[in-house]
Amino acid sequence: MCSSRTLLALAIAGLLPLATAQACGPEFPYRLLSDRAGALGELPEGNFTFEVTRLGQPIAGLAQAGKATLEPYWDEDNQRYLDARVGVEKEQLSAEEHALVSQLRSLVDARQAEAAGAALPAELRLYTAGAVAFAQSDMALAAEYFRRVLALPATERARRSTWAAYSLGRALALLAVSAPEQALSEDAAVQRQRELRQQARAAFQQARELSIAGLDDPLDLGVASLGEEARLALDEGDWNSAITLYASQASQASPTGYSSLRQLTWTLARMDDEQLRPLLEGPAVQQLLVAQLFSRLDVHDQDSPRLLDMLRQAPLQPQIADRLAALSYQRGDYASTRTFLERAGDSGLAWWLRAKLALQASDQAAATSAYARAAKAFPAEEDWGMRRTENWDYETLKPRCRIEGEMAILALERGDYREAFDQLYRSGDIYWQDAAEVAERVLSLDELKRYVDAEVPAPPPLKPGETQYLWERPPATRLRELLGRRLLREGRYAEAVPYFVSAELQQAAREYGAAREQAEDAWTAIGRAEGYYLAARLARSQGMELLGYELGPDQAWNGGNYGGEFDKPVQAGGLLTAEEARLQNASAAQPNRRYHYRWVAAELANRAADLLPPRSQAFAAVLCKASGWINYRDLDGARRYYQRYVKQGPYVEWAGNFGFDCQEPDFARARELAWEQREQAVRQALRPFKYALPLVLLALIASAIYWQRRRRTLAIVDKTAEETRHE
C-alpha cells in the first residue's frame, strides 16, 4: 500500500499525540472557570485513537497484540519478523531440533530441505521446506508446502498451524502480483489475480480462526493477518473492508492498524473530487474521514473545508450525523448543525451540541436539560485522550466530566455553589483546580466542611516509611487538606487537625493551633509573646502545608513552584455574578501575594514584639526574624520592622545584618528584664518622696502600735464587765 519509510514516519507521528509532551517549562491544566463563556461556547475536538474504536471492534477470542506483533513493512528486509521467529524457535524447539531447522533454512532447495528434515515432526519439516521455498521466491511451491501443513491432523500441527496459514496468505498475495507461468489474456490475468487474492484473504482469515481456537500464535500472526487482509482489500478497491480490518487491528492494540488508518486518511484527503466522490458512498470511508476532521488531524490541511462539503453532499450515514453536526458547529455553521442534529438521534455528542445551541438562544432551562441528557448518554469511562488548547494548556478529555464541568458554570451563575463544586469535584484530577477555586473561595467554610464530612472519607494512612509525592495525592487527600488549611487560616484550630493526612502534618497543625491559643490565653505577656513567635515560626517553615491557598496566591497544588500576581480584586462580569465576586474577594488571602503566609508569619512575630520589653534581646530577635521573612518580597515591610527596632530596640551586635543574622529570641531573659523593669519603675515612682517616706513609715508604725494597745485595753475592760454581770 505504501513504502516502509512512509509508514514508519506516519506511525511514529501518529503515536506522538497519545503521550504527554515533555517541555522545558511548566505545563498547566486547562481551567474551565478561567474563560467561562469560552468553555461553554467551545466544542473540543475528538480523538482519532478513540474514533478508530467506532470503526472496528476487537475480535472475540483473539488475543491482544503483544511485543511480537508483526510490523513487516517497517523494514525493507523484514528483519524484525526474522529476529522474532528465531527467538520463538529457540524457545519452542529442543536443541537438536533447533540446530536441524537452522541448517535446513540455510538451504536453497525446498525439496532437499524436506528430505534432509526427515527426523523432524511433519509440521516442522513441511513448514521449514515451505519457508525455504518462500525465501527463494518460489511462492507456488511455498504455498503447496503450507497447505500440506494445514492438511495434517490438528494434533500434529499445533505449533505451526497459524504460521502456515499466515505464510500461505502471504505467498498467495505475492503470487497475485507476479507474472503467470503462461501467457494469459488481460481478462484471464485479472481473474487470476482476483482468485489468488480471495484465496490469500481466506488464508489470513484461517490464521485468525486458528489463533482463536488456541493453536500456538507466539508471533501475533492472528492480529497481523488483519493488516495483511486489509492490504489485499485495498488492492481490490474495497476501501470499506480495508478500513474495517485496519480498525479491528488497531482495536487489538496493534500500532500498525492505527498507523495504516492514518495513512489512509492522508491518501483519501489528497484524492481529487472525482476519485473521492464514489468512495464516499461507503460508510467506513465516511467514518474515517469524519474521524480525521473531527480529531483535527492535518488541521492545517487546506482540503479540510472541501472534504467537509463533500461529506455533506454524500448519502448521510446515521452513525456519523452527530460528528457532522459537531464539525459544522466548530466551523460556525449553526444552521447545518441543526440540520444534522435532526438525524443524530440521542447520542451524547448530539445532546451536548443541543445544549450549546440552547445557550446561544439564551434558553438556560433547555440547555440544562440537554446537558443532563448528554452527561447520562456518555459512558463514564469514555476517554478522548489528552488535548492541547490554543494556550498549550493540557486537558484530559472525558466527555462526561467536561459536560458536568460546563454544567458547573451554569450552576455557579444561578448561585447553586454546592452543586457546582460537586460537578467539578467528580472529575477527579481533570478539573481539580476549578473545584479547588469553588471550595476555597466560593463555598462558606461550613458548607465545605459539611460536604467533606458527608462525601469525602479519609483515605487510608500511609504505611511507615511510605512517601507520597505531591502529584500522587488523590483528590480526596487534596480536598481534605485544603479544608484543613482553611480551618487553620480561619482560627478553628482543633477542627483542622484530622483533615491533614500525614501524622507529621497533623502534629504540625496541632502545634500551630496550640501556639495561637497560647498567644491569646497565656497569663503573662511574655507567655503570649512566646506563643505568637512559635506560631510565626511554624507559619514560615511550614506555611505552604498548613496555611497555603491551593490556587492563588500560593499555588499549593504545584508546591508553590509557579505563581503570579493576585493582588487585584475579582470583578463581576459575563458569567461571573456580583455575589460570587463578593465571596471570592471576601475569601482572598491577606495579603493577596505569593507565599502570603510569609507576611502572616512576619505579622505574628511583630505581635510578639508588642508584648516584649522593647530593650530586650527577644524584642530585637523577633523583629529581625520578621524582617528577614519578607525581605526581597516586600522591602518596605521589611524596612518598617527594622525601623521599629532602631527606634525602640536595644543595641545588639548582630543587627548590622538585620533580617539575616538573627538570633533566636531569649524569652527567659525577657522575663527577667520585665521584672527588673517593673522594679525600676516602682523605684522611679517613689524617688520624689525619698525624705518624707521614712516619716510616713514611722507615723504608720506608731499608729499601728497605738491601735494595737488600744485594742488590748478595750478587750480587758470588756472582760471585766462580763465577769461583773455573771456575779
Side-chain angles (χ1 to χ4, degrees):
M1 182 183 68
C2 58
S3 71
S4 60
R5 295 183 185 277
T6 303
L7 263 176
L8 177 60
L10 287 168
I12 294 173
L15 293 174
L16 288 178
L18 303 179
T20 302
Q22 299 298 316
C24 298
E27 296 183 318
F28 298 102
Y30 172 67
R31 293 200 53 200
L32 294 166
L33 301 187
S34 294
D35 179 10
R36 304 183 185 192
L40 293 178
E42 175 200 38
L43 181 71
E45 70 275 13
N47 178 274
F48 191 72
T49 303
F50 174 78
E51 293 297 314
V52 164
T53 65
R54 291 164 42 84
L55 289 166
Q57 299 298 319
I59 297 175
L62 186 63
Q64 293 280 286
K67 64 180 181 179
T69 299
L70 294 182
E71 300 164 355
Y73 301 104
W74 283 25
D75 55 334
E76 296 289 353
D77 57 1
N78 219 16
Q79 193 59 45
R80 284 193 178 95
Y81 165 71
L82 297 175
D83 292 342
R85 187 206 68 202
V86 170
V88 169
E89 287 182 337
K90 277 185 178 181
E91 291 180 5
Q92 276 191 345
L93 307 181
S94 67
E96 293 80 9
E97 288 177 334
H98 182 260
L100 181 54
V101 168
S102 299
Q103 180 184 348
L104 296 179
R105 286 186 179 276
S106 66
L107 301 176
V108 296
D109 187 318
R111 304 289 186 190
Q112 182 183 0
E114 180 185 5
L120 293 171
E123 61 173 333
L124 295 180
R125 182 178 69 256
L126 295 174
Y127 181 81
T128 305
V132 171
F134 192 100
Q136 299 302 311
S137 299
D138 190 346
M139 299 304 163
L141 182 58
E144 178 186 333
Y145 275 112
F146 297 141
R147 286 192 176 105
R148 289 174 63 184
V149 174
L150 295 170
L152 293 171
T155 56
E156 297 179 17
R157 54 174 169 83
R159 290 184 290 181
R160 289 297 178 267
S161 287
T162 57
W163 297 40
Y166 179 82
S167 297
L168 175 60
R170 293 188 66 199
L172 292 171
L174 290 170
L175 271 177
V177 296
S178 65
E181 296 179 355
Q182 58 186 11
L184 299 174
S185 67
E186 184 176 348
D187 290 343
V190 170
Q191 181 63 27
R192 172 183 176 275
Q193 276 192 331
R194 184 178 296 114
E195 290 174 355
L196 288 171
R197 285 176 181 147
Q198 290 299 323
Q199 293 173 23
R201 292 185 67 173
F204 289 129
Q205 293 166 12
Q206 185 181 13
R208 293 196 292 278
E209 293 168 359
L210 292 168
S211 181
I212 293 170
L215 296 174
D216 282 0
D217 187 12
L219 295 174
D220 295 341
L221 298 176
V223 175
S225 70
L226 289 163
E228 296 286 354
E229 187 182 353
R231 193 164 63 91
L232 290 171
L234 280 178
D235 290 341
E236 295 173 357
D238 188 357
W239 279 75
N240 288 284
S241 294
I243 291 169
T244 302
L245 287 164
Y246 279 133
S248 293
Q249 188 182 23
S251 298
Q252 299 292 151
S254 169
T256 303
Y258 177 85
S259 63
S260 297
L261 288 172
R262 290 288 302 268
Q263 171 69 359
L264 289 186
T265 64
W266 186 88
T267 302
L268 288 168
R270 283 153 182 79
M271 287 182 178
D272 59 37
D273 291 5
E274 292 185 4
Q275 288 178 294
L276 183 58
R277 191 171 288 110
L279 294 180
L280 290 178
E281 302 280 333
V285 174
Q286 285 193 24
Q287 282 187 266
L288 182 62
L289 276 180
V290 167
Q292 177 204 28
L293 295 173
F294 185 47
S295 306
R296 298 184 189 174
L297 292 181
D298 304 322
V299 68
H300 301 297
D301 187 356
Q302 296 180 353
D303 286 336
S304 293
R306 176 182 70 92
L307 295 175
L308 181 55
D309 290 338
M310 292 187 69
L311 283 164
R312 288 170 172 169
Q313 299 168 15
L316 179 63
Q317 302 296 326
Q319 63 267 36
I320 61 169
D322 58 351
R323 265 62 182 172
L324 289 172
L327 289 169
S328 299
Y329 181 89
Q330 291 169 338
R331 291 184 65 184
D333 185 353
Y334 303 123
S336 295
T337 303
R338 294 184 180 90
T339 300
F340 284 120
L341 285 177
E342 292 175 359
R343 300 280 301 278
D346 291 328
S347 73
L349 181 58
W351 281 110
W352 195 359
L353 287 164
R354 291 179 183 121
K356 292 182 178 295
L357 292 176
L359 287 175
Q360 286 188 351
S362 300
D363 190 344
Q364 282 223 6
T368 301
S369 175
Y371 269 127
R373 297 189 68 171
K376 187 177 180 180
F378 274 113
E381 66 276 6
E382 185 163 321
D383 189 344
W384 291 3
M386 198 265 290
R387 63 185 287 263
R388 292 285 183 178
T389 68
E390 292 181 354
N391 296 325
W392 206 241
D393 294 334
Y394 63 86
E395 178 185 15
T396 299
L397 190 60
K398 290 187 174 182
R400 178 180 285 189
C401 293
R402 173 63 186 251
I403 289 167
E404 289 184 340
E406 294 181 17
M407 293 171 68
I409 295 174
L410 301 181
L412 286 171
E413 190 180 14
R414 64 176 181 264
D416 194 348
Y417 302 135
R418 188 191 185 282
E419 177 66 17
F421 169 75
D422 184 58
Q423 289 167 330
L424 291 166
Y425 179 70
R426 287 201 297 264
S427 75
D429 288 320
I430 300 175
Y431 305 117
W432 163 248
Q433 291 194 46
D434 293 311
E437 178 178 320
V438 178
E440 198 161 50
R441 304 291 300 280
V442 180
L443 291 177
S444 72
L445 180 55
D446 287 326
E447 285 174 330
L448 177 60
K449 189 174 182 300
R450 284 195 297 269
Y451 182 93
V452 172
D453 290 343
E455 306 292 341
V456 189
L462 297 178
K463 299 177 182 177
E466 184 182 5
T467 59
Q468 190 175 66
Y469 294 106
L470 189 67
W471 56 88
E472 295 176 333
R473 297 182 306 155
T477 297
R478 299 180 188 181
L479 181 61
R480 292 181 66 85
E481 292 194 340
L482 181 154
L483 173 59
R485 296 195 300 271
R486 191 172 173 185
L487 286 165
L488 285 181
R489 291 197 301 267
E490 299 191 27
R492 295 164 64 169
Y493 308 119
E495 296 175 73
V497 173
Y499 296 102
F500 292 96
V501 176
S502 71
E504 293 78 10
L505 276 182
Q506 287 183 355
Q507 181 59 27
R510 200 175 287 110
E511 291 175 0
Y512 180 81
R516 292 299 303 265
E517 290 173 353
Q518 178 182 339
E520 299 296 329
D521 302 332
W523 287 4
T524 66
I526 305 297
R528 294 195 297 275
E530 195 168 6
Y532 275 124
Y533 178 71
L534 291 174
R537 197 165 60 180
L538 281 167
R540 177 60 188 91
S541 63
Q542 293 181 272
M544 183 69 78
E545 296 82 2
L546 296 177
L547 303 172
Y549 278 72
E550 185 73 4
L551 302 182
D554 303 317
Q555 303 291 335
W557 72 273
N558 65 23
N561 291 315
Y562 302 100
E565 296 298 325
F566 301 91
D567 55 350
K568 297 181 180 178
V570 176
Q571 299 291 333
L575 300 177
L576 199 157
T577 65
E579 176 61 13
E580 185 187 343
R582 185 191 69 79
L583 292 171
Q584 291 217 31
N585 288 324
S587 58
Q590 298 299 325
N592 202 5
R593 303 179 67 170
R594 189 181 183 188
Y595 307 138
H596 91 283
Y597 48 82
R598 297 190 180 193
W599 282 265
V600 172
E603 185 52 33
L604 289 172
N606 189 47
R607 292 185 195 178
D610 293 340
L611 300 168
L612 291 167
R615 295 296 175 181
S616 66
Q617 178 269 359
F619 180 89
V622 296
L623 289 176
C624 181
K625 295 282 188 181
S627 181
W629 288 340
I630 61 173
N631 210 351
Y632 296 126
R633 295 191 171 274
D634 183 3
L635 187 59
D636 290 339
R639 187 179 292 114
R640 283 194 299 271
Y641 294 132
Y642 174 69
Q643 290 172 344
R644 181 181 182 186
Y645 158 73
V646 171
K647 291 179 182 179
Q648 301 176 4
Y651 169 78
V652 289
E653 293 182 356
W654 38 268
N657 198 16
F658 199 82
F660 299 94
D661 295 336
C662 308
Q663 292 183 352
E664 284 295 313
D666 187 345
F667 291 106
R669 178 61 189 133
R671 288 188 177 87
E672 295 175 2
L673 182 59
W675 281 109
E676 292 174 1
Q677 290 180 345
R678 293 190 190 99
E679 182 181 347
Q680 184 66 27
V682 172
R683 289 183 177 183
Q684 289 292 110
L686 296 177
R687 186 177 295 278
F689 309 102
K690 65 181 180 177
Y691 296 111
L693 187 59
L695 296 176
V696 173
L697 289 174
L698 288 173
L700 290 173
I701 293 171
S703 297
I705 294 172
Y706 169 77
W707 284 107
Q708 184 68 20
R709 288 178 177 178
R710 182 173 173 82
R711 289 177 62 189
R712 289 178 182 175
T713 302
L714 291 173
I716 293 170
V717 170
D718 290 341
K719 185 177 180 181
T720 303
E722 184 69 21
E723 290 175 349
T724 302
R725 282 196 300 273
H726 283 296
E727 291 177 356

